[in-house]
Amino acid sequence: MPASPDNLEPVAKITVRDLTMAYGSFVVMRDLNFDVMEKDIFVIIGGSGCGKSTLMRHLIGLREPAKGTILYEGEEFSADTPAERGEFIERFGVMYQSGALWSSLTLAENIALPLEENTALAPAAIRELVSYKLALVGLSGYEEYYPSEISGGMKKRAGIARAMALDPDILFLDEPGAGLDPLSSRRLDDLILRLRDGLGSTVVIVTHELASIFAIANNSIFLDTTTRTQGATGNPTELRDHSDNPAVRDFLRRGEHESETPARHPS
Ligand SMILES: Nc1ncnc2c1ncn2[C@@H]1O[C@H](COP(=O)(O)OP(=O)(O)OP(=O)(O)O)[C@@H](O)[C@H]1O
Ligand SMILES: [Mg+2]
């Protein structure tokens, strides 16, 4: 009997199995196992230095696993030849933790760069796309500004516009909200939700801001510095309320009394 759409197993966008990550003999994390599903807003959480940026580098193919596999839509990514891997990478948009804009280029030129390097679009078409991407992140009219002429929050949004330039299937963002005030940070959350809903992108994001995590993420992995492996994976709100791992609960409940989204305790 042919399978109906209802009983087809959804294929994970990213599947990570038994992943060990290392720099030389220094093992950062071992035995990571998790899935990122299509249209997830998937957050990588854990203490400073636990390996969040390292995990992102593995997911985008910048580093080889010391052990284990990474699959995209069921196809092995980590064992691909560079040419085959390139086809996947073209579908990624990335904002690195240190992801500065080019200071000598205007915002329009910064966002045009990936389009000029990766597409055969005519200059007029590129200009139009650049304006559209800037409008998406609320920066219409700032085309000719240089990074030094705009605020920190605007730079973050311009960085996201650049990561989105090629309409990525998966958007990777490493701490896009770091250093933003609560209002700018909330605007950034709204933007990420709109991108997921509007463009249908899957989003993998590194952040330690609890308000942001509970507002936007539906899936997560917690990297535990103490055990050097994953402490949990799943919906962060459920993990906060029900995880049997105290390290995970403590991380997600820190500063709870002053949080804007307190856990609901049974009274
Ligand atoms: N290129 C590198 N060579 C050797 N060790 C590295 C390298 N990059 C990171 N490390 C080490 O790997 C560990 C994880 O670093 P990583 O940057 O992934 O942590 P992180 O969770 O992103 O931290 P943060 O929250 O501070 O951004 C750290 O101990 C770090 O010193
Ligand atoms: Mg980092």
Side-chain angles (χ1 to χ4, degrees):
M1 195 175 72
S4 77
D6 289 343
N7 57 30
L8 279 178
E9 276 285 304
V11 176
K13 205 82 193 161
I14 311 176
T15 308
V16 174
R17 290 292 174 265
D18 303 321
L19 175 66
T20 292
M21 313 188 291
Y23 293 101
S25 59
F26 172 59
V27 173
V28 179
M29 280 278 147
R30 64 176 82 247
D31 301 327
L32 304 185
N33 282 283
F34 61 92
D35 296 313
V36 178
M37 306 307 290
E38 184 167 24
K39 295 193 186 177
D40 267 359
I41 294 184
F42 185 97
V43 65
I44 301 171
I45 48 183
S48 185
C50 69
K52 301 179 296 293
S53 296
T54 300
L55 177 55
M56 195 146 118
R57 275 179 223 131
H58 281 75
L59 295 180
I60 61 182
L62 282 185
R63 284 199 70 82
E64 283 292 326
K67 199 176 126 279
T69 49
I70 299 171
L71 301 110
Y72 278 89
E73 294 170 351
E75 281 183 57
E76 192 159 340
F77 172 70
S78 34
D80 277 334
T81 61
E84 286 169 334
R85 181 182 290 201
E87 287 171 25
F88 285 107
I89 292 173
E90 278 169 17
R91 293 161 51 197
F92 301 162
V94 184
M95 179 182 170
Y96 298 99
Q97 188 168 10
S98 57
L101 301 161
W102 296 102
S103 59
S104 60
L105 301 181
T106 65
L107 296 193
E109 288 164 345
N110 263 284
I111 294 153
L113 205 59
L115 293 163
E116 286 162 358
E117 286 179 348
N118 294 285
T119 70
L121 291 170
I126 289 183
R127 266 198 305 280
E128 201 170 305
L129 263 177
V130 164
S131 292
Y132 173 66
K133 300 290 168 181
L134 280 173
L136 275 181
V137 300
L139 289 174
S140 279
Y142 287 91
E143 280 80 353
E144 302 315 317
Y145 281 63
Y146 285 89
S148 61
E149 298 171 323
I150 59 173
S151 75
M154 291 160 86
K155 277 184 219 164
K156 296 276 183 195
R157 283 186 274 143
I160 294 177
R162 184 173 60 182
M164 292 183 334
L166 296 165
D167 283 337
D169 190 31
I170 313 180
L171 192 57
F172 294 90
L173 306 170
D174 196 344
E175 305 220 9
L180 295 186
D181 66 73
L183 182 62
S184 308
S185 183
R186 247 195 328 268
R187 284 206 190 111
L188 197 64
D189 289 345
D190 289 343
L191 168 64
I192 292 166
L193 285 171
R194 269 189 287 124
L195 293 178
R196 192 269 312 267
D197 296 337
L199 302 178
S201 300
T202 302
V203 182
V204 176
I205 175 169
V206 177
T207 178
H208 54 260
E209 280 157 60
L210 292 180
S212 191
I213 292 167
F214 297 126
I216 65 174
N218 68 303
N219 200 353
S220 71
I221 182 167
F222 174 79
L223 304 179
D224 189 339
T225 334
T226 317
T227 58
R228 294 207 173 278
T229 187
Q230 78 190 56
T233 178
N235 181 294
T237 308
E238 280 166 26
L239 292 179
R240 174 192 65 194
D241 296 344
H242 304 297
S243 175
D244 49 17
N245 183 336
V248 175
R249 286 198 312 268
D250 287 350
F251 186 92
L252 290 171
R253 290 179 182 181
R254 81 199 123 93
E256 196 163 80
H257 49 288
E258 66 220 35
S259 165
E260 290 173 46
T261 50
R264 285 183 298 277
H265 294 295
S267 51

